[in-house]
Amino acid sequence: MNFRNRLLALVLGRGELRTSEEIFAAARRLMADLRAAGFDAAAEEVQEGFSGLNGLTDGWACFLEHLEKAEGLLPAGIEDLRRGMRALIRAARYAVYR
């Protein structure tokens, strides 16, 4: 899994979210959007990972793990929420595995 994540980070790069401020704002938007759509369990997963961000790589790894769990809780057919989730996963993966 680590090799896969490292490879994805190197190939895909950081994505559209370039700064910590952009990532934090996107995470807050995603949590609000998830709650508004009734996906409270996914929103809680994102919140738990977000609260673990501490500026260190292990905080980003925790955030990535929770984002991936949250994505697994989403049903098919909600591409807007999935797109936002994937952008955050890509940014977090880059922070951990670059």
Side-chain angles (χ1 to χ4, degrees):
M1 184 65 154
N2 285 340
F3 176 75
R4 176 184 171 270
N5 280 323
R6 184 179 264 310
L7 183 62
L8 286 171
L10 292 172
V11 171
L12 298 177
R14 142 186 358 211
E16 64 205 47
L17 302 172
R18 297 269 181 209
T19 66
S20 295
E21 292 80 21
E22 289 175 343
I23 294 168
F24 300 160
R28 289 185 189 102
R29 272 193 313 275
L30 179 64
M31 287 184 280
D33 291 347
L34 287 168
R35 285 192 178 95
F39 301 114
D40 294 329
E44 288 302 317
E45 279 295 333
V46 176
Q47 177 62 49
E48 189 171 335
F50 186 67
S51 67
L53 286 174
N54 58 8
L56 302 174
T57 302
D58 60 340
W60 284 99
C62 176
F63 186 44
L64 174 60
E65 180 181 322
H66 285 281
L67 287 168
E68 289 172 338
K69 284 181 187 176
E71 184 181 30
L73 296 172
L74 297 178
I78 52 169
E79 285 308 309
D80 287 343
L81 290 174
R82 283 191 181 279
R83 195 174 304 111
M85 185 79 71
R86 287 182 191 131
L88 283 169
I89 288 171
R90 186 172 173 180
R93 184 180 290 131
Y94 182 81
V96 174
Y97 294 102
R98 61 184 161 173

